[in-house]
Amino acid sequence: MSLTREECQALDAADPLAHFRAEFTLPEGVIYLDGNSLGALPVRTSARVRELVEVEWGQELIKSWNDAGWFRLPHTLGARVAPLVGAAPGQVVVCDTTSVNLFKVLAAALRLRPGRGVVLAERAAFPTDLYIAEGVTSLTEGSRLELLDHADQLDELLGDGTAVVVLSHVDYRTGELLDMPGITRRVQAAGALMIWDVCHSVGALPIELDACGVDFAIGCTYKYLNGGPGSPAFLYVAERHQADAAQPLSGWFGHARPFAFEPGYEPLDGIGRFLTSSPSMLGQTALGASLDVWEKADLQAVRAKSLALTDLFVSLVEKLDGVEVVTPREHGQRGSQIALRHADGYPVVQALIARGVIGDFRAPDLMRFGFTPLYLSYTEVWDAAHHLAEVLESGEWREERFNRRGEVT
């Protein structure tokens, strides 16, 4: 049985995370269910970026590389991200993009498994992961990419030739959460290395990279972590691999002595060898402001509310005509989004957006709704579900304006 709106208001009044709503800038009249794609703007970010531009850059100029800590920021931010992914210090740096970081760790992992050349990944992985894997294997003699139809097929394809497995912790389409500790153990028992893409789980649920024995991981910061559009990504390399791991993008920020300006490359000791080039201070500074918020949040409470919000949404929409819930119902198999299949999903989402309920669409027929516990209320979830019911019942999604596709869907 689903809750009434009044019961949802009571849950909001008792919500231990409700005060975090004031930490974010959210437009009046908008129910934002797309924080799994681009997180909302933290209130403090604008002032912090303005300080960077007007004071650190505008007044202090190049002195800020030392005086404002710019040079160390990839390490400083990495140390702040580390608790969000269950990593001990010295194993995370913030740098580059998710795609670039996957290139680096995948190439390094392949080099750590000479004599093995197979990279396994899911066919339905976020496409950039597959494109990068294709690129790395095309440059690595004797290696090739093989695709799984689902992670359940892993045991069938794992073998003596498997070097690396790359999987997404949460499926970007369906919201399915994979068994990180179990899969990691199986991959390593076969002699291969495990890379996890945690883009859709970091900031949505507790992650334990160290406890799970993960080898490498990559993730972004613009979704649940609210770092802003194009904010820098991060990568994790288990300490046991750092001395032997060699990544191919050997830029000067990963050099042992970058200001010696030597012609030959010598990597830094530790996680810093995975840095490449000068970071964007605008992006890194904005992320730092967002992490100020996250350092006050309890991930266990975030996870508990996430499950409650997604349970509520499913209970309200599961019987709507033409709608199929494709996200797993079991809590242990669900991230923090709900995906609904509908034959005309794109115009339905556009009609919802016109009503102020922002979700998104993934081809060919999935409507995605992300649930961000720090700034989303139970009452908003109830209202969003009822807007969806009204859109479907009225047929307003059939209007021509909702069927015109933009470049970004």
Side-chain angles (χ1 to χ4, degrees):
M1 179 181 295
S2 57
L3 300 176
T4 65
R5 194 174 193 275
E6 291 71 24
E7 289 171 324
C8 290
Q9 290 173 325
L11 287 174
D12 288 331
D15 178 12
L17 298 178
H19 65 283
F20 280 100
R21 173 76 175 226
E23 296 276 3
F24 297 92
T25 300
L26 292 159
E28 190 68 31
V30 167
I31 300 174
Y32 193 56
L33 301 181
D34 211 9
N36 57 315
S37 190
L38 175 65
L41 171 67
V43 170
R44 66 189 65 213
T45 300
S46 298
R48 180 65 190 94
V49 171
R50 189 177 304 113
E51 179 186 22
L52 167 79
V53 172
E54 296 179 357
V55 179
E56 294 177 11
W57 176 18
Q59 299 299 317
E60 298 303 315
L61 297 166
I62 201 168
K63 294 183 295 180
S64 287
W65 282 105
N66 286 315
D67 296 349
W70 288 0
F71 184 72
R72 292 294 304 169
L73 206 49
H75 295 274
T76 304
L77 292 176
R80 298 177 69 188
V81 170
L84 298 175
V85 294
Q91 298 179 108
V92 179
V93 284
V94 169
C95 58
D96 301 312
T97 66
T98 308
S99 299
V100 171
N101 286 340
L102 177 57
F103 186 94
K104 290 190 283 190
V105 300
L106 179 53
L110 275 170
R111 291 178 178 184
L112 289 174
R113 287 295 179 267
R116 292 171 175 247
V118 176
V119 175
L120 294 180
E122 274 195 286
R123 190 181 308 278
F126 192 75
T128 196
D129 287 9
L130 300 183
Y131 304 158
I132 292 295
E134 288 178 11
V136 172
T137 54
S138 72
L139 295 171
T140 308
E141 185 177 356
S143 69
R144 68 182 186 276
L145 175 64
E146 293 186 4
L147 299 181
L148 310 161
D149 291 325
H150 188 272
D152 289 345
Q153 193 186 6
L154 190 59
D155 290 337
E156 299 174 28
L157 295 184
L158 273 174
D160 293 341
T162 307
V164 188
V165 176
V166 183
L167 292 174
S168 293
H169 193 203
V170 171
D171 188 306
Y172 83 100
R173 302 162 307 124
T174 67
E176 180 185 6
L177 171 67
L178 295 184
D179 174 15
M180 180 179 284
I183 290 174
T184 300
R185 284 194 299 270
R186 284 152 53 199
V187 167
Q188 293 171 343
L193 294 169
M194 186 71 225
I195 300 174
W196 284 101
D197 178 337
V198 297
C199 286
H200 286 269
S201 53
V202 62
L205 56 118
I207 302 170
E208 296 293 343
L209 297 179
D210 282 353
C212 294
V214 171
D215 298 299
F216 301 88
I218 55 167
C220 66
T221 64
Y222 49 80
K223 302 182 190 300
Y224 295 101
L225 293 187
N226 311 99
S231 61
F234 62 89
L235 61 84
Y236 162 94
V237 180
E239 185 177 15
R240 64 186 179 276
H241 294 310
Q242 290 176 13
D244 297 321
Q247 63 103 345
L249 300 181
S250 46
W252 78 307
F253 255 58
H255 193 282
R257 295 170 300 279
F259 288 93
F261 301 109
E262 299 165 342
Y265 185 75
E266 180 183 338
L268 269 167
D269 290 334
I271 191 66
R273 64 181 50 205
F274 278 82
L275 295 175
T276 297
S277 55
S278 304
S280 164
M281 283 300 110
L282 292 170
Q284 298 237 341
T285 298
L287 174 60
S290 180
L291 293 176
D292 290 345
V293 178
W294 277 99
E295 285 169 351
K296 299 185 291 185
D298 178 351
L299 273 176
Q300 298 295 338
V302 168
R303 177 60 168 164
K305 184 178 176 183
S306 162
L307 293 171
L309 292 173
T310 48
D311 280 344
L312 171 63
F313 189 71
V314 168
S315 72
L316 292 166
V317 303
E318 62 185 339
K319 295 182 180 178
L320 296 178
D321 287 344
V323 168
E324 175 192 354
V325 179
V326 300
T327 304
R329 307 298 179 95
E330 298 84 356
H331 285 182
Q333 298 178 28
R334 182 197 311 165
S336 198
Q337 72 179 54
I338 296 296
L340 306 178
R341 178 169 285 119
H342 188 280
D344 294 287
Y346 179 79
V348 172
V349 168
Q350 298 310 303
L352 280 172
I353 291 173
R355 286 170 167 249
V357 179
I358 301 180
D360 68 16
F361 171 78
R362 290 293 178 262
D365 55 8
L366 291 181
M367 303 184 292
R368 296 194 316 169
F369 301 94
F371 296 83
T372 46
L374 293 190
Y375 53 81
L376 189 63
S377 71
Y378 292 91
T379 305
E380 286 177 311
V381 173
W382 194 96
D383 288 345
H386 280 263
H387 277 293
L388 176 58
E390 290 175 1
V391 164
L392 293 173
E393 183 178 350
S394 69
E396 64 197 70
W397 57 268
R398 294 186 174 87
E399 295 179 28
E400 181 183 353
R401 60 185 174 131
F402 297 138
N403 284 269
R404 291 194 293 268
R405 299 209 177 194
E407 289 185 282
V408 177
T409 61

